[in-house]
Amino acid sequence: MALLSIQNLWVSFGGLVALHGVSMDVEEGRIFSIIGPNGAGKTTIFNCISGIYKPTKGKVIFRDREITGKKSHYSAGMGIARTFQNIELFGHLTTIDNLLLGRHIHMKSGVFSGAFFFGKSFPAAREECHHREVVERIIEFLEIEAYRNSLVSSLPYGIRKLVELGRALAMEPTLLLLDEPTAGMNQEEKRDMMFWIRDIRDDFKVTIIMVEHDMNLVMDVSDEIMALNFGVKLVQGTPEQVRNDPQVLEAYLGRD
Amino acid sequence: MLELKNVEIYYGKIMVVRGLSLKVEEGEIRAILGANGAGKSTTLKTIMGYIEDQPEKGSIWFEEERIDGMKTEKIVPRGIAYVPEGREVFPELTVRENLMMGAYTRKDRDVDTDLVKVFDYFSVIKDRLKQLAGTLSGGEQQMLAIARALMSRPKLMILDEPSLGLSPLLVSEIFEIIRSINRAGTTILLVEQNARKALSIADHAFIMESGRIVLEGSPEKLSENEDVQEFYLGVRQETSVKGYQRYKRKKRWR
Amino acid sequence: MTSRKNNSVIPHALQVDQKNDLFILFFRRREAILPIANLLTWVGKDSETYRCLTMDMKRDYYEDIQLCKTRTALVLTIALFCCLMIIPFLLGDYNIYIVNLIAIHAIVAIGLNILVGYTGQISLGHAGFFAIGAYTSVLLMVKGGVPFPVALLAAGFVSAGFGFLLGLPSLRLEGPYLAIATLGFGMAVTQIISHWDFAGGHMGLAAPKMSIGPFVADTGLEQYAIIMSVAAIMTIAAINLMKTRVGRALVAIRDSEIAAEAMGVNVLKYKTLAFAISAFYTGVGGALMAFALAHISAGSFNLILSITFLAMIIVGGLGSIMGSILGAALLTYLQIKLQVIQEAPIVGPILLDISKRFFTAEGLPNIQSIIIGGIMIGIVIFEPLGMRGIYLRFKRYWRMWPF
Amino acid sequence: MNFFMDLIVGGLAIGACYALIALAMVIIYKTSEVPNFAQGEMAMLATFVAYTMMANYGAGFWTSVIITMVFAFALGALLEICFLRPAEDPGVLGAIVITLGAEMILYGIAGWKWGANQNPFPVPFSEYSGVTISGVVITEINFWTLTVSLAVMLILFLFFRFTKLGTAMKAVQQNPFAAKAMGIPTRRILTFTWGLSSMTGAIAGMLIAPIATLDPNMMLDPMLKGFAGGVLGGLTSLPGAAAGAYLLGIIENLFGGYVSLEFKSVVAFGVIVLILCVKPSGLFVKHYKRKV
Amino acid sequence: MKKRLKLALVLVVLSATLIPAQFGWAADKVRGVTDTEILIGQWGPQTGPAAAWGAVARGTGVFFDLVNEEGGIAGRKIKYFMRDDAYQPSKTKAIAKEFVENLGVFGVASGVGTSTGMAARDYLMENKVPWVGPATGSKHWSDPLQKYLFAVYPRYTDEASLLTQYLVEKLGKKKIAFFYQNDDYGKEGLEGAQNYAKRAGLQLAAEIPVEVTDTDLKSHALKLKESGAEAVILWILPKHAPIILGQAKAIGFEPQWVASSTLSDSHLMYKITKGLWEGVIYANFLNIESPLAKKYLEAQKKFAPNEQYTGIFFLAGFVFVEPMVEGLKRAGKDLTPDTFVKAMETIRNWNDWLGYDCTFTPQDHQGMKSTFISKCGPEGQQIKISDWMTYKGE
């Protein structure tokens, strides 16, 4: 059974149908990309997986469990992490606090243990220290040490993208959804990102689904690609297959 | 037509643009290329009078008239139209109302002929006049934003990243339209990250990095530059990264 | 949460003084500034400036969540505690009463700040929780014979229960819609209590004396001991809480609900939790108020009170425990002192003269609301961080003092 | 049956006053997303000006109304310029605090200038005689209140729908950044908005004052009800907010007439909370959820 | 440099506000009494929703000025402190503390509001602060008896019983409705009316409450009309009177209106109801025709020429405190709280004031129990239609 399986997914917003019965399977350990023109429904699929939208019809099955229509935090608890197209960071928190929020599902302290600790040996304090250590390693991995204690709203765009990625990694997810990870980056940064995506898959043993416009990156990095157009699945296959598909060329890439 | 002389811009306390000078000649398409945070958008916003008390130094001239320090609502009637980054339409106004707002500063009543003219460029819009702009797709919104800017009959049109977030096919279409607008007599100043596309239609381009113009010239000249090839055009794309040795070794976690 | 300071000492210094401070311009690079900054730092290596400059001097992850991060802070905290111990013996009973009021308001302000400042939810109905706390404790003691500490806790928990209920709709409401819902809640509570004969109706109830075991708080001084201890415990708890998992989740909800949920934060749970915690604090504050006043009546828990609480945290600083306390202190003090503004030297006669000339003499006390309204607006316009912002500015200024 | 109809008429009459306040608040909310808690005091102050014109300077009613409208416009514009413009992006909470502060200041000024005494507010039409339609009385003041509120609503609707300025105001609300790029003077538009809203509120004040008495506390309750009515209908829709306010007036009166007078004014808020749980942006507005 | 200046400025302003807090009181033999002065305080809402009642406290101020001008009391002048509590009990309590701890007053005069007064009552009693004439007719002032508290305002319960009795016995009304403010004030009135009704074997036709915050009284008026009452007793605030009278008239309901003493300023009521008040019957305990009233109003012109409102509430500020001054005079040179209480308790059937038959005994500290009934004439004149009456219950 695939790690994530989407079956006949329909989504509509007040009469406007965004997804027309899309199905897809993602095997564990792969990098799976979704491409398609704007408004094709790529982000909508993400939103269905991570529980922001409730599909009108169809199923989302993750690790043999149905998560259709479950709230975001539920799927997060199941091990699905994501980044956002337009960066959704916690602007009034520092980088380290943002990353610590990624550890939220792995932490236990509640109101009372959190409010009353008076030394290192209290469980809340111990837990806090432990997770700070974990986060520290992610900071190292992404090379954002210099920004550890800065408010994220004051960071440059590229760094914020990284922090967001780091925050998703801190969740130690099984499945990572990347929504346009290189949007707004220059070629150099994009290339870095490419390496990182591969490293993340290998080092963290994560399955990655990403939505991306940069064809070069998509073709290079992905194991499998699905092309969408107006909510309809055009084709799914290896980069080569997709690159040469006439429908994809027509709808998306254009013929130069 | 438009000239920036040694402009310095601060954003809060941080200097974003350092001594920028550039010229846009009448009838041309000029493009500013550069990565995120290079100060391109800030420059445009400053030209449009968005940022109060800026530029800190230098001057901006439009048709022999100094326009820095002017309010936006004074600048627009002088013949500059601005298409902001990211499809900034009025989502809950109809397409028609959106277009009417484009003609806000005009005193004459001859708006309808312009509407017809706009439909020549953007046939999609014609059928959707009564639709709310927010219900348009991303590409249509971008077209509407450009159409709206045209409604003020600008002499100079400034576009901020018209290709942002659009599919390759749509990008081509929009750039085609920009070119035809230019041919009809409107001067164009374009800010782009998609260097390849921008260079394909521009008459002259600037490359901006951390608040300075580092290179300028004709597209041909720029395309030959090695740095531009590597960092802006991504020329080596045909060979895959898979075959490359990483030049940076990342630290491993675990 | 004063722990935010270490993020930005350097960038701030650069930003503020960049244009007019030659010194900074010369030494823009961090390494260059280091030795000089060291000299400037008045407590040497243990200061946070030093730590920020050297960045990697962290010895232990616990430091991040420690109550007193530096020795200076520790010393200051101990000094503060000593002050709190000595103060009552220096002040008269009247001033102790004012300090008590301030402490009670500070508890409420902290609670409200947890909801408004940290979680980003608006409430114009906290007078309702205040009333619930006050009535619960008094009714339990008078009608139920429950001892004071239990009644105090019960006041908090009952109030928290109502907070939980009010929190439920908050999942879907925002901005003015939430404001009107909470406002309605506050008004409903007052209205219901005032018609509830068991709770003394409109006339209100007389509160018994606070007592812990054999110790009965008769005088203001004894009340001070109880109120101040409760306030101190609750302040420390709030500081701790905001630094750990729950607090972070609350701030996450404020900054981006969608992202918070994607991180596995159960937004419904944490929003209602924020309401509950906030209501708990307010309820405890209300209970203490009942005993400080010795008599409660529904009419005093009105919309104006809710607005005053809100004003306290705005003036003090949103999202800051210290700000809550400062705001509560300032506004409580002002409200009491502004009543006699016409008796103040110099200012008083001038105002009276103005009143007689352009206004009415008997309307002069209305200047209270003009001044408080003006402070509220002024803070939002000029110092959105509130008094805490002023404090931070002052601190930075102090550091750089010789220059 | 008469009792029921009387309650409905009463509900509509007070609902019309609420509706005017709701409209005034919506005008501002639509353009700048500021829930204006100072609306009531602005109206109260304007009404005091009208009263002073009549009582102290012997001006005629209509002259006073005109002067008051000018004053109201100036007051609204002044508040915007002095209090809201200098605040950079205050957020909803900041905006609420600013308007609450303005409310306190205006309240203080009114108390300082006119004292706490109650004053009668004379109008050239009768508060208690009028026409009787099948046993149900509609007094002159009821009639005028309803007419004026409907007229104001219609004028505002036409203004926003068909004039360039009205469309520009909507544009400023939806996207101030783009509106500026169109050459729309966003700041002046905002100032104008406040003036317009203040005038609408002043009309409400002058219609409420004759049935009650004129004193600084006059508008406390109507303002909250108007706001609540606006929220009930939806703060982003003019007709929606007005309809919500009418509805609120009717609910209140029916509840007072048939269930309980004691909880008459609280029930409104209870109903609102319940309705908002189902329709979070009010009855007549589609709930907007942020996209990611 | 600028910043430091600013800081200095802030400090100066702060200390300026601090100064009034500093003038303390040195330990005298008797708190608030020196050879030349007696310190007396009063709170009253000068701001907020109840600010209209602030006139009481200002009236008291003029009265003390008058007393001082006439030579004071036993060689001492009264030093009067007026504080604004905005009708907020927590502030009232703070003011009471300030009076006792900081200013060290001898006694408290009047003070508006029942809930505000209740917040301070026990504290004042514990500290032996004589308190005369709280400005409401609540029964809580004299029941249970408080040693240092003397009530002047006739009880609402008695007043309401009396009015009902008058309606039934003198005017022959059978169906009487009661329209009351839904708080202690209104409810005590209702209780009084019910008491009489029970005794007379009657049933009130309707008991309609109104909330303080209500502005729209249409449904109230309709309910009153439904009850078919011939007379309606109003136990409400002045601001509600014009609304209910107007709404009732609009629906064609014109019973005999009867009002409590709170609405006894007929000129004001006539003005704000735009003439509807004419013909209304109301209770009254302040003899406005007495020559003393004229004298007091002249004193107002002298000491408070800027005062805008000089109606009944203003004079009420005199009447509540008159017994206090009498008590102080009787206590004479040797003034302590206890001698004062003793002196007060010697006042029997005292009539040298605006009120009537003031009597304090060690068992009963309710000083005045009588009211008379007036009718509002054309142009708001007060027409006295009964003598002073005292309600005699079981």
Side-chain angles (χ1 to χ4, degrees), chain D residues 3 6-7 10 14 107 116-118 120-121 127-128 137 139 210-213 217 221-222 253 256-257 261-262 264-265, chain E residues 48-49 51-52 182 208 211 213-216 218-220 222-223 226 238-239 242-243 249-250 271-272 274 276 309:
Chain D
F3 184 66
D6 270 326
L7 284 175
I14 193 74
Y107 182 79
N117 302 326
Q118 284 143 346
F121 187 80
E127 290 91 343
Y128 32 77
V137 189
T139 60
I211 53 167
T213 56
N217 302 302
D221 183 57
N253 264 273
L261 282 169
E262 298 186 343
K264 183 183 138 202
S265 33
Chain E
N182 204 358
I208 308 292
E211 299 303 319
T213 51
D214 280 349
T215 309
D216 170 32
K218 177 92 175 189
S219 41
H220 303 76
L222 285 167
K223 281 206 154 181
E226 284 262 294
K239 72 164 186 171
I243 311 178
K249 179 154 187 188
K271 192 177 94 177
I272 64 176
K274 296 177 194 162
L276 289 181
Y309 172 80

Side-chain angles (χ1 to χ4, degrees), chain E residues 19-37:
Chain E
I19 287 167
Q22 301 313 320
F23 59 88
W25 136 85
D28 283 323
K29 262 209 319 259
V30 179
R31 181 187 52 228
V33 182
T34 65
D35 289 343
T36 53
E37 275 180 341

Side-chain angles (χ1 to χ4, degrees), chain C residues 118-167:
Chain C
Y118 286 98
T119 321
Q121 308 293 305
I122 294 170
S123 169
L124 287 176
H126 260 56
F129 296 123
F130 203 57
I132 290 172
Y135 271 89
T136 310
S137 59
V138 173
L139 282 177
L140 278 177
M141 282 180 77
V142 173
K143 314 254 169 171
V146 172
F148 166 74
V150 181
L152 187 66
L153 273 180
F157 281 113
V158 170
S159 195
F162 279 95
F164 171 76
L165 289 181
L166 185 60

